[in-house]
Amino acid sequence: MSLHVPYAFRQDSNFRYLTGILEPGAVLTLEVSAINTKSDFNDNIAFVPRLFVEERNDHDRVWDGPTMGVEMASQLTGIQDTQPLTHLSEYLTSAFSQLQASSDFIWFGLPFLVRRKEKAPIYRTIFNQTSELFSKCSLDPKQLQDPEPLLDELRLIKSSNEIALMRRAAEVTSTALKKTMRAASPGVAEAELCTRFEHESRMMGSRRFTKEQRILHDVLVQVQRDCQQAVNPDASLQDLYELMLQRIGKYLVEEKIMLSNDAAAMAHKICPHHVGHFLGLDVHDTPSIPYSRKFQPGMVFPLEPGIYFPTDASNTFHIPTEFCGLGLRLEDDFVMTVEGRAEKLTKELSSDASDLESYVKGVSCSSTN
């Protein structure tokens, strides 16, 4: 809500992962302490979670709608020590007063908005208070750390339930894209298609390829297929990126679109983005995990090779003029299975050019834009 105008709220992904709470105005604290240095790790660490949530008065509930409140939030999360958000300041003051200068660390996860220095009043208040209390404790700045790398490790490998949800999301998206394609034709605005796609996604075309578009599309289909087949426990996204560039150059040379002596040097210029990234609660999930990490069962990722020729590509890349100004990207989502292969999650939407044309009722157009 800003100046009485409501806006859609998106929960911080790490907070959602840990609590499942989708409402704004909630804070999770987790006290971690060693209890027995001679035992195994799981018995060596004690975790004490506390959850602070917003409780609205009668007027605010009528005006802004109800919130879960303390009791329901405790039932949902299983966190017994759930308190009103108004108690947070007192708790932080007490917790900081018990810190010991040499042995304690504070892990403080900054929400995305605060990291980008944009407006997020409640989080900025917490950040300011945490910083002020930390400075009063005379602790080393290195003892204030970001837990995001640890959480990224937790979120990197998806559980069977998470994979099932992502598989269902891929099915819904594929179906919505088919219906949106049928509504696309020359003159239809992108905003209209975006609205239609969102509608179709929540409730559950285009044109024929030109000759040049079809060639580039088929090249990308083969590149993606090669990358999918290369997924194994000894490979990584970085390995697939290098393979993608090599195959883009190879197939464009075979189609006589690029010269062989230009292919290797130009491939990364006509595809300036990576082959993929980790996928989860965020589109670019677990950003602290390097792309050199070897594939493991439960990792979810897209494979998205692309080719983008600038309008002056005939001079820059020495390609036929009919390909100048064309740009295509093919993107599908995959999960690494326990068998060590890449399963396509978006298989409900075929990548075959003829199938794509059938989705849009055969509307043709001579434009190459």
Side-chain angles (χ1 to χ4, degrees):
M1 183 75 71
S2 176
L3 296 178
H4 302 292
V5 178
Y7 292 91
F9 171 75
R10 186 187 187 281
Q11 184 61 274
D12 178 82
S13 296
N14 284 333
F15 184 83
R16 180 178 182 179
Y17 181 82
L18 293 172
T19 67
I21 291 179
L22 300 179
E23 293 183 354
V27 176
L28 174 70
T29 68
L30 188 65
E31 293 182 18
V32 184
S33 59
I35 57 176
N36 184 353
T37 57
K38 295 182 180 180
S39 62
D40 293 336
F41 176 80
N42 289 338
D43 297 327
N44 186 36
I45 304 297
F47 299 91
V48 181
R50 287 183 175 85
L51 183 64
F52 299 85
V53 297
E54 181 183 7
E55 286 202 310
R56 293 176 178 169
N57 57 35
D58 292 340
H59 175 271
D60 290 340
R61 281 195 292 270
V62 172
W63 188 254
D64 297 324
T67 58
M68 288 189 299
V70 169
E71 183 176 352
M72 186 177 296
S74 179
Q75 293 176 359
L76 172 68
T77 62
I79 299 176
Q80 295 182 355
D81 191 352
T82 300
Q83 305 177 34
L85 186 62
T86 52
H87 293 185
L88 176 64
S89 179
E90 180 182 353
Y91 165 76
L92 289 177
T93 301
S94 174
F96 271 81
S97 68
Q98 301 176 42
L99 293 177
Q100 299 179 15
S102 61
S103 60
D104 291 325
F105 285 87
I106 301 172
W107 301 86
F108 181 51
L110 293 178
F112 178 84
L113 289 179
V114 175
R115 292 199 297 268
R116 297 300 184 272
K117 297 182 180 180
E118 298 176 12
K119 292 182 179 179
I122 179 174
Y123 296 119
R124 189 167 297 282
T125 299
I126 297 169
F127 175 73
N128 290 341
Q129 183 179 8
T130 302
S131 299
E132 180 181 354
L133 290 171
F134 183 83
S135 63
K136 291 181 179 179
C137 294
S138 301
L139 300 178
D140 190 310
K142 294 181 180 179
Q143 291 175 265
L144 183 62
Q145 299 188 13
D146 185 358
E148 185 173 12
L150 296 177
L151 291 169
D152 282 354
E153 290 288 348
L154 291 175
R155 291 172 50 190
L156 178 62
I157 306 300
K158 273 55 180 179
S159 67
S160 57
N161 287 336
E162 288 177 300
I163 292 174
L165 288 172
M166 296 182 75
R167 182 176 286 112
R168 174 56 182 161
E171 293 173 357
V172 170
T173 301
S174 298
T175 301
L177 280 171
K178 291 178 186 178
K179 294 182 178 181
T180 303
M181 288 179 184
R182 296 190 183 104
S185 61
V188 176
E190 183 178 348
E192 181 179 343
L193 293 178
C194 181
T195 301
R196 180 179 290 272
F197 175 73
E198 183 175 357
H199 167 76
E200 297 293 351
S201 297
R202 290 182 180 276
M203 294 300 297
M204 25 162 334
S206 183
R207 56 185 182 241
R208 290 188 184 276
F209 287 100
T210 65
K211 175 184 176 181
E212 293 76 22
Q213 290 171 339
R214 178 67 175 262
I215 291 173
L216 294 185
H217 174 80
D218 290 346
V219 165
L220 292 177
V221 168
Q222 188 58 53
V223 171
Q224 187 192 72
R225 187 173 295 136
D226 291 349
C227 290
Q228 178 185 1
Q229 293 174 351
V231 173
N232 65 77
D234 294 322
S236 66
L237 278 175
Q238 188 61 33
D239 295 328
L240 297 191
Y241 171 68
E242 295 170 3
L243 176 64
M244 175 191 71
L245 295 180
Q246 188 271 331
R247 294 302 168 87
I248 286 176
K250 175 180 182 292
Y251 295 137
L252 289 179
V253 169
E254 291 179 357
E255 294 290 344
K256 297 181 172 55
I257 298 174
M258 292 183 66
L259 301 176
S260 59
N261 59 335
D262 288 342
M266 295 300 178
H268 73 283
K269 294 183 179 180
I270 61 175
C271 184
H273 57 74
H274 210 279
V275 68
H277 46 81
F278 299 116
L279 189 63
L281 286 175
D282 293 310
V283 175
H284 287 260
D285 206 42
T286 59
S288 70
I289 305 297
Y291 290 167
S292 58
R293 177 71 64 86
K294 301 298 183 183
F295 286 115
Q296 297 174 255
M299 286 185 177
V300 180
F301 51 92
L303 294 177
E304 44 184 313
I307 297 173
Y308 315 91
F309 287 128
T311 55
D312 63 346
S314 59
N315 297 325
T316 307
F317 301 111
H318 308 292
I319 70 167
T321 56
E322 57 267 28
F323 288 93
C324 294
L326 291 184
L328 286 83
R329 182 192 298 201
L330 178 65
E331 180 172 352
D332 284 287
D333 298 335
F334 299 84
V335 59
M336 175 71 161
T337 68
V338 294
E339 294 81 15
R341 62 180 181 84
E343 176 193 344
K344 186 176 179 180
L345 296 178
T346 47
K347 58 187 176 183
E348 293 300 319
L349 180 61
S350 172
S351 298
D352 180 79
S354 297
D355 290 338
L356 292 175
E357 289 179 340
S358 71
Y359 296 153
V360 298
K361 299 180 180 179
V363 177
S364 62
C365 179
S366 60
S367 172
T368 59
N369 292 332

